[in-house]
Amino acid sequence: MKKLLLLIVMMCAAAQLPAHNEFGERPKLVVGIVVDQMRWDYLSRYYDQFQDDGFRRLIDKGFSCNNCLINYVPTVTAIGHTSAYTGTTPAFHGICGNNFFIDGEPVYCCADQTVEPVGTDNAKRGKMSPRNLLSTTIGDQLRMHTDFRSKVIGVSYKDRAAILPAGRSSDAAFWLDIDNGQFITSTYYMGELPEWAKSYNRELKKNKRMQELGKRIGYDPLCGTITTEMAIAALQGEKLGKGEVTDMLCVSYSQTDVIGHEWGTRGEHTDGAYLQLDRDIARLLKALDDQVGEGNYLVFLTADHGAAHNYQYMEDHKMNGGAWKGDIEMFGSGLEGYLKETLGADLSVINSVNSYRVFLNKKRIVELGLEVQKVKDAIIGYARQMPHVQFVMDFEKVNTWSVPDIIRSRALLGYHPRRSGDILLVLEAGYYEFWSSSSKTGTTHGEWNPYDAHIPLLFYGWKVDHGSTSREVHITDIAPTVCQMLHIQQPNACIGEAIPEVVR
């Protein structure tokens, strides 16, 4: 009798266990959503204001990783989008910022002069591709696994937020040409926009609010709405999730970043942006239900970085924080005299001060008959004396530098020897770069601190059980988690680990 009772208990327990996905089982569609500049605490800040079918659907029915951290510096848009989809960091995927240098030459992360714009004649906005990306993405691995039968498409307001997540082998990436108010692509992907994209662009031309906003569309929640509509147009036009193999749609919402830079983490503009985004996500989920079927698609939602509170907000409430005037114009005003005094050099030995990194002009240093290391040492010596600079490191020597392990680890993972610059600065908590063009009411990001590095991570849909974990996970764990659920190989430079609470 005892054995029979034990058997019955075991059978009942087994019946309650979540369903596991077996080899060969895959969702019809994977949807990656990145919300630009979304702090993790926004999930709780707005929870009571969210409607049932948007963020709360993902939270209440999905799985939340409540301690997801970015494990590199700097924490900026291009790097965050790339790291989420590659499972690795700038040290390996090579996207070392929105703007950086390759062997001393300045580059924009997605700029590509070998391609032509499609859907516009605007070369500035359209000559873009993922050619600077050195590693594969989830979508690349999915396409290889299915002998390139899977469709992978990226959509965003920002070119880098559409291009880099989708990967090098993607079918298409579409971004907004703000000069013309149209979604475009480049010849890297195709020679002509598909008819469904042309059709949606015609609708945009009729949108009076869109035309009123013009180039300032990114400063308005409408930007998220048109991104959603374009993503739904791609979903329907390309029949994603309707084929025999798994497809992937990569959607990034950028208006939250533009608004945050202008108005900060608090106030009506940011509140309005997230409440409208909630409605837009609900609309996207409804479209997925209608086309693919609830339970047939897998969604993950994360952010590329967070944001610091506005420095004036911090000061007004008696907390540490401030604006650090750190670009080459401001940082260099005192530095120039120091370099002349110590080395007989001038500011021409510096190419840029960007995202808390100093990029040296090594060609100019050689022309002046100087040693690179002596120039580094001089700049480091000067920067150490600057107010609110906590640590200054020579990137090449960071592994032996006297800094906390958390700083050393994130610096190493963010360092590519040919692309990341030469000197890294770490500011006191609450301080951030402030340029002559920065908004006094806004904010920015880029540092290791939790306000920049603690991001949301939600999984929802196919084979995802409701729950949460407070265990530390990283942005680089997203790609291996999704790949394990799909039973495909991880991206080829992946350093992350699949999250066991999600893959079960």
Side-chain angles (χ1 to χ4, degrees), residues 59-102:
I59 297 168
D60 295 346
K61 296 183 178 180
F63 191 92
S64 179
C65 297
N66 293 326
N67 195 21
C68 182
L69 302 175
I70 294 174
N71 53 346
Y72 54 80
V73 288
T75 47
V76 297
T77 295
I79 302 177
H81 280 81
T82 307
S83 298
Y85 283 86
T86 62
T88 192
T89 69
F92 302 101
H93 62 56
I95 301 299
C96 296
N98 301 332
N99 295 278
F100 51 99
F101 289 75
I102 298 180

mmCIF file of all heavy atoms in Angstrom, residues 59-102:
data_model
loop_
_atom_site.group_PDB
_atom_site.id
_atom_site.type_symbol
_atom_site.label_atom_id
_atom_site.label_comp_id
_atom_site.label_asym_id
_atom_site.label_seq_id
_atom_site.Cartn_x
_atom_site.Cartn_y
_atom_site.Cartn_z
ATOM 1 N N ILE A 59 5.203 40.139 -17.694
ATOM 2 C CA ILE A 59 5.617 39.957 -16.300
ATOM 3 C C ILE A 59 4.771 38.889 -15.607
ATOM 4 O O ILE A 59 5.305 37.966 -14.970
ATOM 5 C CB ILE A 59 5.514 41.295 -15.525
ATOM 6 C CG1 ILE A 59 6.466 42.339 -16.114
ATOM 7 C CG2 ILE A 59 5.810 41.078 -14.039
ATOM 8 C CD1 ILE A 59 6.217 43.748 -15.607
ATOM 9 N N ASP A 60 3.457 38.994 -15.731
ATOM 10 C CA ASP A 60 2.541 38.136 -14.968
ATOM 11 C C ASP A 60 2.441 36.717 -15.514
ATOM 12 O O ASP A 60 2.086 35.793 -14.778
ATOM 13 C CB ASP A 60 1.138 38.753 -14.940
ATOM 14 C CG ASP A 60 1.088 40.072 -14.180
ATOM 15 O OD1 ASP A 60 2.063 40.375 -13.462
ATOM 16 O OD2 ASP A 60 0.093 40.810 -14.325
ATOM 17 N N LYS A 61 2.759 36.547 -16.797
ATOM 18 C CA LYS A 61 2.658 35.218 -17.397
ATOM 19 C C LYS A 61 4.001 34.675 -17.874
ATOM 20 O O LYS A 61 4.088 33.510 -18.266
ATOM 21 C CB LYS A 61 1.677 35.246 -18.576
ATOM 22 C CG LYS A 61 0.253 35.582 -18.176
ATOM 23 C CD LYS A 61 -0.681 35.527 -19.374
ATOM 24 C CE LYS A 61 -2.117 35.826 -18.963
ATOM 25 N NZ LYS A 61 -3.053 35.767 -20.123
ATOM 26 N N GLY A 62 5.028 35.509 -17.821
ATOM 27 C CA GLY A 62 6.339 35.089 -18.279
ATOM 28 C C GLY A 62 7.310 34.883 -17.137
ATOM 29 O O GLY A 62 6.922 34.731 -15.979
ATOM 30 N N PHE A 63 8.586 34.874 -17.483
ATOM 31 C CA PHE A 63 9.651 34.648 -16.487
ATOM 32 C C PHE A 63 10.535 35.887 -16.448
ATOM 33 O O PHE A 63 11.006 36.361 -17.487
ATOM 34 C CB PHE A 63 10.485 33.424 -16.849
ATOM 35 C CG PHE A 63 11.407 32.991 -15.743
ATOM 36 C CD1 PHE A 63 10.999 32.045 -14.819
ATOM 37 C CD2 PHE A 63 12.668 33.557 -15.600
ATOM 38 C CE1 PHE A 63 11.829 31.655 -13.779
ATOM 39 C CE2 PHE A 63 13.509 33.180 -14.567
ATOM 40 C CZ PHE A 63 13.093 32.215 -13.648
ATOM 41 N N SER A 64 10.765 36.408 -15.243
ATOM 42 C CA SER A 64 11.547 37.631 -15.071
ATOM 43 C C SER A 64 12.877 37.334 -14.394
ATOM 44 O O SER A 64 12.915 36.740 -13.314
ATOM 45 C CB SER A 64 10.765 38.647 -14.239
ATOM 46 O OG SER A 64 11.526 39.824 -14.043
ATOM 47 N N CYS A 65 13.955 37.758 -15.031
ATOM 48 C CA CYS A 65 15.289 37.710 -14.422
ATOM 49 C C CYS A 65 15.528 39.086 -13.796
ATOM 50 O O CYS A 65 15.813 40.059 -14.505
ATOM 51 C CB CYS A 65 16.344 37.395 -15.470
ATOM 52 S SG CYS A 65 16.132 35.773 -16.236
ATOM 53 N N ASN A 66 15.377 39.163 -12.486
ATOM 54 C CA ASN A 66 15.353 40.451 -11.806
ATOM 55 C C ASN A 66 16.724 41.018 -11.474
ATOM 56 O O ASN A 66 16.806 42.137 -10.954
ATOM 57 C CB ASN A 66 14.532 40.329 -10.515
ATOM 58 C CG ASN A 66 13.065 40.074 -10.798
ATOM 59 O OD1 ASN A 66 12.516 40.558 -11.784
ATOM 60 N ND2 ASN A 66 12.428 39.284 -9.944
ATOM 61 N N ASN A 67 17.755 40.263 -11.777
ATOM 62 C CA ASN A 67 19.106 40.745 -11.492
ATOM 63 C C ASN A 67 19.996 40.536 -12.711
ATOM 64 O O ASN A 67 21.048 39.924 -12.635
ATOM 65 C CB ASN A 67 19.684 40.032 -10.269
ATOM 66 C CG ASN A 67 20.913 40.721 -9.707
ATOM 67 O OD1 ASN A 67 21.140 41.905 -9.948
ATOM 68 N ND2 ASN A 67 21.722 39.981 -8.975
ATOM 69 N N CYS A 68 19.520 41.057 -13.848
ATOM 70 C CA CYS A 68 20.286 40.944 -15.088
ATOM 71 C C CYS A 68 21.196 42.168 -15.204
ATOM 72 O O CYS A 68 20.731 43.312 -15.166
ATOM 73 C CB CYS A 68 19.362 40.865 -16.301
ATOM 74 S SG CYS A 68 20.245 40.671 -17.869
ATOM 75 N N LEU A 69 22.486 41.927 -15.358
ATOM 76 C CA LEU A 69 23.479 42.993 -15.383
ATOM 77 C C LEU A 69 24.259 42.983 -16.687
ATOM 78 O O LEU A 69 24.480 41.939 -17.299
ATOM 79 C CB LEU A 69 24.453 42.840 -14.218
ATOM 80 C CG LEU A 69 23.843 42.830 -12.803
ATOM 81 C CD1 LEU A 69 24.922 42.559 -11.772
ATOM 82 C CD2 LEU A 69 23.132 44.140 -12.513
ATOM 83 N N ILE A 70 24.693 44.155 -17.095
ATOM 84 C CA ILE A 70 25.635 44.282 -18.205
ATOM 85 C C ILE A 70 27.033 44.091 -17.638
ATOM 86 O O ILE A 70 27.406 44.738 -16.655
ATOM 87 C CB ILE A 70 25.489 45.653 -18.883
ATOM 88 C CG1 ILE A 70 24.115 45.766 -19.552
ATOM 89 C CG2 ILE A 70 26.595 45.877 -19.896
ATOM 90 C CD1 ILE A 70 23.812 47.130 -20.131
ATOM 91 N N ASN A 71 27.804 43.211 -18.227
ATOM 92 C CA ASN A 71 29.082 42.784 -17.649
ATOM 93 C C ASN A 71 30.302 43.336 -18.379
ATOM 94 O O ASN A 71 31.362 42.715 -18.402
ATOM 95 C CB ASN A 71 29.149 41.256 -17.591
ATOM 96 C CG ASN A 71 28.851 40.591 -18.926
ATOM 97 O OD1 ASN A 71 28.351 41.226 -19.850
ATOM 98 N ND2 ASN A 71 29.144 39.303 -19.025
ATOM 99 N N TYR A 72 30.167 44.532 -18.973
ATOM 100 C CA TYR A 72 31.279 45.185 -19.649
ATOM 101 C C TYR A 72 31.072 46.688 -19.554
ATOM 102 O O TYR A 72 30.006 47.166 -19.141
ATOM 103 C CB TYR A 72 31.337 44.772 -21.135
ATOM 104 C CG TYR A 72 30.018 45.020 -21.834
ATOM 105 C CD1 TYR A 72 29.660 46.289 -22.273
ATOM 106 C CD2 TYR A 72 29.091 43.987 -22.005
ATOM 107 C CE1 TYR A 72 28.428 46.532 -22.852
ATOM 108 C CE2 TYR A 72 27.861 44.224 -22.582
ATOM 109 C CZ TYR A 72 27.537 45.496 -22.998
ATOM 110 O OH TYR A 72 26.307 45.739 -23.564
ATOM 111 N N VAL A 73 32.070 47.434 -19.920
ATOM 112 C CA VAL A 73 31.948 48.888 -20.123
ATOM 113 C C VAL A 73 32.568 49.214 -21.481
ATOM 114 O O VAL A 73 33.475 48.519 -21.929
ATOM 115 C CB VAL A 73 32.657 49.699 -19.003
ATOM 116 C CG1 VAL A 73 31.888 49.618 -17.719
ATOM 117 C CG2 VAL A 73 34.107 49.267 -18.815
ATOM 118 N N PRO A 74 32.062 50.270 -22.139
ATOM 119 C CA PRO A 74 30.989 51.166 -21.738
ATOM 120 C C PRO A 74 29.614 50.593 -22.071
ATOM 121 O O PRO A 74 29.473 49.783 -22.976
ATOM 122 C CB PRO A 74 31.275 52.427 -22.554
ATOM 123 C CG PRO A 74 31.898 51.918 -23.821
ATOM 124 C CD PRO A 74 32.725 50.738 -23.393
ATOM 125 N N THR A 75 28.611 51.048 -21.332
ATOM 126 C CA THR A 75 27.233 50.590 -21.525
ATOM 127 C C THR A 75 26.510 51.563 -22.462
ATOM 128 O O THR A 75 25.893 52.532 -22.011
ATOM 129 C CB THR A 75 26.521 50.500 -20.166
ATOM 130 O OG1 THR A 75 26.774 51.707 -19.420
ATOM 131 C CG2 THR A 75 27.031 49.332 -19.365
ATOM 132 N N VAL A 76 26.614 51.303 -23.760
ATOM 133 C CA VAL A 76 26.021 52.182 -24.770
ATOM 134 C C VAL A 76 25.220 51.357 -25.783
ATOM 135 O O VAL A 76 25.318 50.136 -25.835
ATOM 136 C CB VAL A 76 27.095 53.027 -25.488
ATOM 137 C CG1 VAL A 76 27.789 53.955 -24.504
ATOM 138 C CG2 VAL A 76 28.107 52.149 -26.208
ATOM 139 N N THR A 77 24.476 52.050 -26.623
ATOM 140 C CA THR A 77 23.447 51.436 -27.469
ATOM 141 C C THR A 77 23.963 50.340 -28.400
ATOM 142 O O THR A 77 23.454 49.219 -28.392
ATOM 143 C CB THR A 77 22.742 52.527 -28.294
ATOM 144 O OG1 THR A 77 22.043 53.383 -27.392
ATOM 145 C CG2 THR A 77 21.748 51.925 -29.272
ATOM 146 N N ALA A 78 24.915 50.668 -29.240
ATOM 147 C CA ALA A 78 25.372 49.688 -30.232
ATOM 148 C C ALA A 78 25.926 48.441 -29.560
ATOM 149 O O ALA A 78 25.679 47.313 -30.006
ATOM 150 C CB ALA A 78 26.427 50.313 -31.137
ATOM 151 N N ILE A 79 26.660 48.632 -28.473
ATOM 152 C CA ILE A 79 27.250 47.486 -27.779
ATOM 153 C C ILE A 79 26.161 46.641 -27.127
ATOM 154 O O ILE A 79 26.179 45.406 -27.213
ATOM 155 C CB ILE A 79 28.256 47.955 -26.716
ATOM 156 C CG1 ILE A 79 29.372 48.793 -27.343
ATOM 157 C CG2 ILE A 79 28.866 46.750 -26.005
ATOM 158 C CD1 ILE A 79 30.368 49.342 -26.342
ATOM 159 N N GLY A 80 25.200 47.289 -26.476
ATOM 160 C CA GLY A 80 24.150 46.543 -25.793
ATOM 161 C C GLY A 80 23.310 45.702 -26.735
ATOM 162 O O GLY A 80 23.029 44.533 -26.457
ATOM 163 N N HIS A 81 22.902 46.295 -27.848
ATOM 164 C CA HIS A 81 22.115 45.533 -28.819
ATOM 165 C C HIS A 81 22.915 44.342 -29.351
ATOM 166 O O HIS A 81 22.385 43.240 -29.519
ATOM 167 C CB HIS A 81 21.705 46.431 -29.987
ATOM 168 C CG HIS A 81 20.535 47.305 -29.684
ATOM 169 N ND1 HIS A 81 20.642 48.485 -28.989
ATOM 170 C CD2 HIS A 81 19.210 47.165 -29.984
ATOM 171 C CE1 HIS A 81 19.445 49.047 -28.885
ATOM 172 N NE2 HIS A 81 18.561 48.266 -29.475
ATOM 173 N N THR A 82 24.175 44.572 -29.617
ATOM 174 C CA THR A 82 25.015 43.501 -30.161
ATOM 175 C C THR A 82 25.244 42.400 -29.138
ATOM 176 O O THR A 82 25.155 41.204 -29.450
ATOM 177 C CB THR A 82 26.361 44.071 -30.626
ATOM 178 O OG1 THR A 82 26.139 45.169 -31.511
ATOM 179 C CG2 THR A 82 27.181 43.020 -31.349
ATOM 180 N N SER A 83 25.529 42.777 -27.903
ATOM 181 C CA SER A 83 25.836 41.789 -26.862
ATOM 182 C C SER A 83 24.648 40.905 -26.540
ATOM 183 O O SER A 83 24.801 39.710 -26.284
ATOM 184 C CB SER A 83 26.331 42.504 -25.605
ATOM 185 O OG SER A 83 27.534 43.206 -25.868
ATOM 186 N N ALA A 84 23.436 41.482 -26.552
ATOM 187 C CA ALA A 84 22.241 40.691 -26.259
ATOM 188 C C ALA A 84 22.036 39.582 -27.278
ATOM 189 O O ALA A 84 21.593 38.482 -26.933
ATOM 190 C CB ALA A 84 21.015 41.598 -26.215
ATOM 191 N N TYR A 85 22.349 39.857 -28.524
ATOM 192 C CA TYR A 85 22.080 38.891 -29.600
ATOM 193 C C TYR A 85 23.283 38.006 -29.945
ATOM 194 O O TYR A 85 23.114 36.985 -30.607
ATOM 195 C CB TYR A 85 21.607 39.622 -30.852
ATOM 196 C CG TYR A 85 20.162 40.081 -30.776
ATOM 197 C CD1 TYR A 85 19.829 41.291 -30.191
ATOM 198 C CD2 TYR A 85 19.127 39.299 -31.271
ATOM 199 C CE1 TYR A 85 18.507 41.724 -30.103
ATOM 200 C CE2 TYR A 85 17.805 39.712 -31.196
ATOM 201 C CZ TYR A 85 17.498 40.927 -30.609
ATOM 202 O OH TYR A 85 16.185 41.340 -30.523
ATOM 203 N N THR A 86 24.481 38.379 -29.508
ATOM 204 C CA THR A 86 25.669 37.560 -29.792
ATOM 205 C C THR A 86 26.110 36.743 -28.592
ATOM 206 O O THR A 86 26.880 35.794 -28.735
ATOM 207 C CB THR A 86 26.863 38.433 -30.220
ATOM 208 O OG1 THR A 86 27.211 39.319 -29.141
ATOM 209 C CG2 THR A 86 26.554 39.233 -31.471
ATOM 210 N N GLY A 87 25.657 37.133 -27.385
ATOM 211 C CA GLY A 87 26.092 36.435 -26.186
ATOM 212 C C GLY A 87 27.524 36.728 -25.825
ATOM 213 O O GLY A 87 28.151 35.974 -25.069
ATOM 214 N N THR A 88 28.057 37.829 -26.340
ATOM 215 C CA THR A 88 29.445 38.152 -26.056
ATOM 216 C C THR A 88 29.605 39.664 -25.912
ATOM 217 O O THR A 88 28.611 40.396 -25.847
ATOM 218 C CB THR A 88 30.374 37.564 -27.129
ATOM 219 O OG1 THR A 88 31.737 37.662 -26.688
ATOM 220 C CG2 THR A 88 30.220 38.250 -28.475
ATOM 221 N N THR A 89 30.813 40.141 -25.829
ATOM 222 C CA THR A 89 31.100 41.532 -25.484
ATOM 223 C C THR A 89 32.024 42.153 -26.530
ATOM 224 O O THR A 89 32.513 41.451 -27.427
ATOM 225 C CB THR A 89 31.764 41.601 -24.096
ATOM 226 O OG1 THR A 89 33.083 41.032 -24.186
ATOM 227 C CG2 THR A 89 30.944 40.851 -23.048
ATOM 228 N N PRO A 90 32.301 43.462 -26.413
ATOM 229 C CA PRO A 90 33.164 44.114 -27.417
ATOM 230 C C PRO A 90 34.516 43.447 -27.617
ATOM 231 O O PRO A 90 35.079 43.512 -28.716
ATOM 232 C CB PRO A 90 33.330 45.529 -26.855
ATOM 233 C CG PRO A 90 32.080 45.772 -26.099
ATOM 234 C CD PRO A 90 31.737 44.450 -25.465
ATOM 235 N N ALA A 91 35.031 42.804 -26.589
ATOM 236 C CA ALA A 91 36.317 42.121 -26.728
ATOM 237 C C ALA A 91 36.294 41.100 -27.855
ATOM 238 O O ALA A 91 37.332 40.811 -28.474
ATOM 239 C CB ALA A 91 36.693 41.431 -25.411
ATOM 240 N N PHE A 92 35.107 40.564 -28.157
ATOM 241 C CA PHE A 92 34.978 39.513 -29.168
ATOM 242 C C PHE A 92 34.102 39.908 -30.359
ATOM 243 O O PHE A 92 34.422 39.554 -31.495
ATOM 244 C CB PHE A 92 34.428 38.239 -28.523
ATOM 245 C CG PHE A 92 35.261 37.722 -27.391
ATOM 246 C CD1 PHE A 92 34.893 37.947 -26.075
ATOM 247 C CD2 PHE A 92 36.443 37.031 -27.644
ATOM 248 C CE1 PHE A 92 35.673 37.488 -25.023
ATOM 249 C CE2 PHE A 92 37.233 36.563 -26.613
ATOM 250 C CZ PHE A 92 36.851 36.797 -25.290
ATOM 251 N N HIS A 93 32.991 40.636 -30.113
ATOM 252 C CA HIS A 93 32.144 40.975 -31.266
ATOM 253 C C HIS A 93 32.600 42.240 -31.980
ATOM 254 O O HIS A 93 32.179 42.511 -33.108
ATOM 255 C CB HIS A 93 30.665 41.043 -30.895
ATOM 256 C CG HIS A 93 30.266 42.080 -29.888
ATOM 257 N ND1 HIS A 93 30.531 43.425 -30.027
ATOM 258 C CD2 HIS A 93 29.553 41.953 -28.723
ATOM 259 C CE1 HIS A 93 30.021 44.093 -29.001
ATOM 260 N NE2 HIS A 93 29.433 43.220 -28.187
ATOM 261 N N GLY A 94 33.470 43.036 -31.358
ATOM 262 C CA GLY A 94 34.122 44.134 -32.056
ATOM 263 C C GLY A 94 33.318 45.410 -32.208
ATOM 264 O O GLY A 94 33.829 46.406 -32.721
ATOM 265 N N ILE A 95 32.062 45.420 -31.780
ATOM 266 C CA ILE A 95 31.280 46.659 -31.813
ATOM 267 C C ILE A 95 31.562 47.379 -30.498
ATOM 268 O O ILE A 95 30.988 47.070 -29.465
ATOM 269 C CB ILE A 95 29.778 46.384 -31.996
ATOM 270 C CG1 ILE A 95 29.545 45.612 -33.304
ATOM 271 C CG2 ILE A 95 28.988 47.680 -31.986
ATOM 272 C CD1 ILE A 95 29.997 46.346 -34.565
ATOM 273 N N CYS A 96 32.469 48.344 -30.548
ATOM 274 C CA CYS A 96 33.041 48.936 -29.342
ATOM 275 C C CYS A 96 32.429 50.280 -28.976
ATOM 276 O O CYS A 96 32.981 51.017 -28.157
ATOM 277 C CB CYS A 96 34.549 49.066 -29.504
ATOM 278 S SG CYS A 96 35.363 47.462 -29.674
ATOM 279 N N GLY A 97 31.310 50.602 -29.581
ATOM 280 C CA GLY A 97 30.617 51.847 -29.285
ATOM 281 C C GLY A 97 29.732 52.210 -30.453
ATOM 282 O O GLY A 97 29.702 51.514 -31.476
ATOM 283 N N ASN A 98 28.995 53.308 -30.309
ATOM 284 C CA ASN A 98 28.275 53.830 -31.467
ATOM 285 C C ASN A 98 29.271 54.372 -32.479
ATOM 286 O O ASN A 98 29.133 54.176 -33.682
ATOM 287 C CB ASN A 98 27.310 54.926 -31.027
ATOM 288 C CG ASN A 98 26.298 54.443 -30.005
ATOM 289 O OD1 ASN A 98 25.956 53.268 -29.976
ATOM 290 N ND2 ASN A 98 25.833 55.350 -29.163
ATOM 291 N N ASN A 99 30.261 55.070 -31.955
ATOM 292 C CA ASN A 99 31.388 55.565 -32.755
ATOM 293 C C ASN A 99 32.676 55.137 -32.075
ATOM 294 O O ASN A 99 32.794 55.219 -30.852
ATOM 295 C CB ASN A 99 31.342 57.097 -32.854
ATOM 296 C CG ASN A 99 30.132 57.602 -33.603
ATOM 297 O OD1 ASN A 99 30.096 57.636 -34.820
ATOM 298 N ND2 ASN A 99 29.100 57.991 -32.845
ATOM 299 N N PHE A 100 33.629 54.673 -32.853
ATOM 300 C CA PHE A 100 34.914 54.268 -32.296
ATOM 301 C C PHE A 100 35.956 54.359 -33.402
ATOM 302 O O PHE A 100 35.711 54.947 -34.463
ATOM 303 C CB PHE A 100 34.839 52.864 -31.674
ATOM 304 C CG PHE A 100 34.249 51.790 -32.554
ATOM 305 C CD1 PHE A 100 35.065 50.915 -33.261
ATOM 306 C CD2 PHE A 100 32.865 51.618 -32.654
ATOM 307 C CE1 PHE A 100 34.532 49.911 -34.055
ATOM 308 C CE2 PHE A 100 32.323 50.620 -33.435
ATOM 309 C CZ PHE A 100 33.154 49.766 -34.141
ATOM 310 N N PHE A 101 37.131 53.812 -33.166
ATOM 311 C CA PHE A 101 38.210 53.852 -34.147
ATOM 312 C C PHE A 101 38.667 52.436 -34.438
ATOM 313 O O PHE A 101 38.719 51.590 -33.539
ATOM 314 C CB PHE A 101 39.398 54.664 -33.611
ATOM 315 C CG PHE A 101 39.147 56.147 -33.539
ATOM 316 C CD1 PHE A 101 38.341 56.679 -32.543
ATOM 317 C CD2 PHE A 101 39.709 57.006 -34.469
ATOM 318 C CE1 PHE A 101 38.095 58.039 -32.467
ATOM 319 C CE2 PHE A 101 39.476 58.372 -34.409
ATOM 320 C CZ PHE A 101 38.669 58.892 -33.400
ATOM 321 N N ILE A 102 38.958 52.151 -35.689
ATOM 322 C CA ILE A 102 39.570 50.880 -36.077
ATOM 323 C C ILE A 102 40.943 51.197 -36.639
ATOM 324 O O ILE A 102 41.070 51.886 -37.660
ATOM 325 C CB ILE A 102 38.734 50.125 -37.121
ATOM 326 C CG1 ILE A 102 37.353 49.782 -36.553
ATOM 327 C CG2 ILE A 102 39.459 48.848 -37.553
ATOM 328 C CD1 ILE A 102 36.449 49.035 -37.513
#
